[in-house]
Amino acid sequence: MASPPPPPPVFRDPWAKREAWRKHPVFSRRAMLGSMFPGFGIALVAFTTYVIVDNIYLSAKPDSHH
C-alpha cells in the first residue's frame, strides 16, 4: 500500500503582520459605506418627520380663501 504524499511545507509569511490591517473590520465594505455619508440617516429621519407633520397640519387647516 502506498502512503499518502507528505503535505507541502508551510512557509511563514514575513509580511503577515504588516498586511493584517487590511482585514480589520474598520476597513470592511460596510463600514466604508456607512462612513461615506455621515449624518445622512439622522437627516433623512428629520426631513421625513418634517414632511409628514407639515402635510398633516396643512391638510387639517380649513381653506380660508374662498
Side-chain angles (χ1 to χ4, degrees):
M1 229 187 208
S3 64
V10 178
F11 296 107
R12 186 165 177 252
D13 185 9
W15 294 96
K17 286 183 183 178
R18 291 175 179 86
E19 295 292 322
W21 67 271
R22 296 178 191 265
K23 293 175 179 58
H24 196 275
V26 172
F27 299 108
S28 69
R29 216 176 267 274
R30 180 177 178 168
M32 290 292 191
L33 289 176
S35 64
M36 191 181 303
F37 302 108
F40 181 71
I42 295 171
L44 184 66
V45 169
F47 181 72
T48 304
T49 305
Y50 167 75
V51 168
I52 290 172
V53 169
D54 193 40
N55 285 336
I56 289 173
Y57 280 125
L58 285 179
S59 66
K61 292 182 180 178
D63 191 17
S64 61
H65 303 298
H66 285 4

